[in-house]
């Protein structure tokens, strides 16, 4: 019996140490991307995708995360929302200080998550003004896409980046609110034929709707990797208290669409990660079979 107790304590201690490690470190997760539209590229086109930082800092001024991003020499940085904490008593300053420094590295495009959205819808309740936050971002050169899109043509390859702002009703608990491809079209327009259409859409719960709208690449977050991940099953729980969500974190290819769900670079509400390291996602667009 004593041996069993000692073994149990050792396992529990090991789990607690691993949780601490995973909530204080991050990794760079790489996904190769080779859509046919990029077949004419002369070099790798590198995109960094960040989501769900929730004011987390790694070192003074978030120096460790900034250095890791700089070392990648990205061509583009995309942000999928929840960089701040939308709760009373919190400030958007840590997120603002970090994101504005990213704009010194390369172009940055930012779409909101549920935390930005709730502040936007009820600024008095949370004591923050999204207009001020967005204006400061724009002054620094960050492109904030609030149900809007931007175009770019690296080496002549047409890309459209859409930022979808889902209403707060799409982040409810226990029940998934209705959302149709037509609703998305009403918010951001229809996909552009002849372009590579990238959709920044925070909640992966609606991945099938994003595909029906016509996204070539869907970039989401929100689920924090499912908090605890089980090999072969994925994440255990989504923020809406849905168990074993289909797209809990990783890269998924479904038909003509690719879905990337970030496990997040920070934590919130439940500051726990197990077998689920925080991450910044690196997308490396190659020629086919490069």
């Amino acid at each position: 019996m004593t041996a069993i107790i000692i073994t149990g304590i050792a396992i529990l201690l090991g789990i607690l140490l691993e949780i601490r490690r995973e909530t204080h470190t991050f990794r760079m997760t790489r996904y190769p991307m080779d859509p046919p539209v990029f077949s004419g590229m002369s070099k790798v086109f590198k995109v960094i995708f960040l989501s769900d930082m929730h004011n987390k800092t790694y070192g003074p001024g978030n120096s460790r995360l900034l250095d890791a991003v700089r070392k990648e020499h990205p061509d583009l940085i995309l942000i999928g929302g929840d960089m701040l904490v939308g709760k009373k008593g919190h400030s958007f300053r840590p997120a603002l200080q970090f994101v504005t420094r990213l704009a010194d590295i390369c172009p940055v495009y930012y779409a909101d998550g549920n935390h930005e959205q709730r502040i936007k819808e009820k600024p008095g309740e949370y004591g923050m003004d999204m207009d001020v936050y967005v204006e400061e971002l724009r002054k620094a050169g960050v492109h904030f896409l609030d149900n809007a899109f931007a175009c770019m043509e690296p080496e002549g390859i047409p890309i459209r980046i859409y930022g979808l702002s889902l209403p707060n009703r799409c982040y409810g608990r226990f029940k998934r609110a209705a959302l149709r491809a037509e609703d998305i079209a009403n918010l951001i327009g229809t996909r552009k034929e002849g372009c590579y259409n990238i959709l920044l859409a925070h909640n992966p719960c609606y991945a099938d709707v994003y595909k029906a709208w016509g996204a070539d690449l869907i970039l989401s977050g929100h689920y924090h990797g499912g908090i605890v991940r089980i090999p072969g099953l994925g994440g255990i729980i989504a923020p809406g208290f849905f168990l074993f969500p289909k797209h809990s974190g990783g890269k998924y290819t479904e038909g003509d669409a690719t879905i990337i769900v970030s496990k997040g670079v920070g934590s919130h509400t439940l500051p726990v990660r197990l077998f689920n390291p925080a991450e910044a996602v690196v997308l490396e667009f190659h020629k086919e079979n490069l």
Side-chain angles (χ1 to χ4, degrees), residues 112-114 116-118 120-121 146-147 163-171 178-180 183-184 187 200-206 209-210 220 222:
D112 73 12
N114 55 302
E116 289 91 350
Q117 185 67 22
R118 67 172 63 156
K120 186 166 52 179
E121 292 186 13
D146 184 2
N147 286 330
L164 177 63
S165 299
L166 291 171
N168 251 348
R169 66 177 179 81
C170 291
Y171 295 103
L179 184 72
R180 305 168 301 163
D183 299 324
I184 296 176
L187 292 171
L200 295 169
H202 188 66
N203 191 348
C205 171
Y206 297 103
V209 186
Y210 308 149
S220 299
H222 190 49

Side-chain angles (χ1 to χ4, degrees), residues 4-17:
I4 293 174
I5 293 173
I6 292 172
T7 300
I9 292 172
I11 291 172
L12 178 60
L13 180 61
I15 289 173
L16 292 174
L17 289 172

Side-chain angles (χ1 to χ4, degrees), residues 223-228 235-245 270:
Y223 284 178
H224 299 186
I227 310 298
V228 175
I236 288 181
I237 190 166
F241 296 104
F242 302 104
L243 295 176
F244 299 106
L270 289 175

Side-chain angles (χ1 to χ4, degrees), residues 16 36 71 73 88 123 125 134 138 149 154 161 168 201 236 241 243 255 260:
L16 292 174
K71 286 176 182 177
H73 301 290
K88 192 172 182 179
E125 183 173 333
V134 171
R138 286 179 172 152
F149 66 84
I161 304 164
N168 251 348
I236 288 181
F241 296 104
L243 295 176
I260 304 289

Side-chain angles (χ1 to χ4, degrees), residues 213-266:
W213 173 80
D216 298 302
L217 172 62
I218 299 159
L219 298 177
S220 299
H222 190 49
Y223 284 178
H224 299 186
I227 310 298
V228 175
R229 296 184 69 80
I230 299 175
L233 291 177
I236 288 181
I237 190 166
F241 296 104
F242 302 104
L243 295 176
F244 299 106
K246 179 180 178 182
H247 303 103
S248 61
K251 178 182 178 183
Y252 310 84
T253 301
E254 299 181 5
D256 294 330
T258 300
I259 305 163
I260 304 289
V261 181
S262 169
K263 301 180 187 74
V265 75

